[in-house]
Amino acid sequence: MSYTTLLTAQDADGIVVVTINRPDKLNALNDAVITELAALAAWARADASVRALILTGAGEKAFVAGADIAEITQTDATTGAQLAAKGHAAFRALEQLGKPVIAAVNGFALGGGCELAMACHVRYASPNAKFGQPEVKLGLIPGYGGTVRLPRLVGRGRALELLMSSAMIDATEAHRIGLVNKVVPQEALLDDVKALARSILQMGPLAVRLVLETVDRALDLPLEAALAHEAAQFGVACGSDDKREGTSAFLEKRPAQFSGR
Ligand code: COA
């Protein structure tokens, strides 16, 4: 599949590095990028050869510096809401891919960039990464999930501080508050993220998908309902070939050969 704003490179393990490629605009998310991210998610979900996605930005300065401000100047109340809904659908498709999606945050992750990183399952960042939700500075609010995912990741108080002040925080502070999982030297960032993806790919693929689905659902449910859903998903795992293989391999002291069923 070919794109105009994304570069994709798939390795022999099925790990696809997706580079948002508008370096002259610090990889800002225009309509074309959002359209192509949605198409990418649909392809990655359907193609069994794709086993994990890594999202990063072109160049060494930016992951994504936000939604494209030039395009936002053209919106009104109706088209603004449509723009946000389209971004939500694309990001949600990545979040619900059923395969690991990891952000390699290699520079500015502002506005929509921070929101895209938060829609990924895990975030590693280079030391030059800067995070923030500066929309209020533009008279806007986040439109790609920032008001929803940021409080869930870092708590309401820290989220509101970032959302109301438009403060930019560095990678160390983002790590301290739980916005990123790990800070890695820029030159090692992609290799480290790939190593994480490879380690996940050694696990039972069905179980990894069930973990992603179960956590995603649990965040939306009251405690008792979330526990009931977990029990049902545990049952699905218990009935799987992967569970038979994984538990047998443990008892027989040999590596598991998972089928993903
Ligand atoms: N949308 C559209 N264009 C953007 C952009 C965005 N979110 N972020 C950066 N760009 C463009 C700049 O307009 C500039 O384009 P030009 O060379 O044609 O003038 C180019 O990318 C480089 O950005 P520049 O501002 O010159 O780089 P800098 O190093 O001085 O500053 C930032 C970097 C990230 C601090 C600054 O670009 C910035 O504040 N960007 C907007 C961040 C934001 O508010 N995001 C939320 C949007 S809702």
Side-chain angles (χ1 to χ4, degrees):
M1 190 141 186
S2 75
Y3 304 94
T4 59
T5 64
L6 306 177
L7 303 173
T8 57
Q10 181 166 357
D11 73 10
D13 295 320
I15 300 170
V16 181
V17 176
V18 180
T19 306
I20 296 164
N21 189 32
R22 299 185 71 212
D24 54 325
K25 297 293 177 195
L26 303 186
N27 307 318
L29 302 174
N30 63 4
D31 184 61
V33 180
I34 296 294
T35 301
E36 293 191 350
L37 283 174
L40 172 96
W43 163 71
R45 188 180 181 85
D47 189 325
S49 76
V50 176
R51 299 184 64 208
L53 294 185
I54 294 171
L55 296 191
T56 195
E60 296 193 343
K61 190 170 169 182
F63 173 68
V64 165
D68 191 306
I69 296 170
E71 280 191 358
I72 288 181
T73 61
Q74 305 305 308
T75 55
D76 59 22
T78 303
T79 55
Q82 288 165 349
L83 178 146
K86 183 171 175 178
H88 287 156
F91 287 18
R92 193 73 179 124
L94 290 168
E95 197 170 38
Q96 295 190 307
L97 196 68
K99 306 172 187 187
V101 181
I102 308 172
V105 182
N106 57 318
F108 289 111
L110 302 174
C114 189
E115 291 168 298
L116 178 60
M118 290 192 291
C120 297
H121 303 128
V122 176
R123 288 151 291 282
Y124 282 11
S126 53
N128 64 318
K130 296 254 190 310
F131 295 80
Q133 296 286 165
E135 289 86 352
V136 288
K137 205 187 215 170
L138 303 169
L140 285 165
I141 70 164
Y144 289 156
T147 65
V148 180
R149 292 193 180 91
L150 190 59
R152 290 175 183 217
L153 265 176
V154 305
R156 175 184 160 131
R158 286 187 176 123
L160 284 172
E161 183 181 359
L162 287 168
L163 290 163
M164 291 192 298
S165 67
S166 98
M168 236 192 259
I169 58 172
D170 64 16
T172 307
E173 176 65 0
H175 182 239
R176 193 185 71 78
I177 67 174
L179 183 52
V180 300
N181 297 65
K182 190 173 172 188
V183 182
V184 181
Q186 176 115 343
E187 60 280 9
L189 181 63
L190 263 188
D191 283 346
D192 244 49
V193 168
K194 283 184 190 167
L196 171 67
R198 263 186 215 106
S199 73
I200 297 170
L201 295 183
Q202 302 304 307
M203 307 300 126
L206 176 67
V208 169
R209 180 162 66 72
L210 290 172
V211 162
L212 289 169
E213 283 175 15
T214 310
V215 170
D216 189 73
R217 192 92 178 89
L219 286 168
D220 283 333
L221 289 173
L223 184 90
E224 295 294 345
L227 291 175
H229 181 248
E230 185 193 71
Q233 295 282 83
F234 185 76
V236 173
C238 283
S240 71
D241 290 350
D242 278 1
K243 168 262 191 171
R244 273 185 284 284
E245 169 62 10
T247 52
S248 301
F250 174 80
L251 295 174
E252 292 160 15
K253 303 189 188 306
R254 60 172 175 81
Q257 299 289 330
F258 291 114
S259 64
R261 288 189 298 274

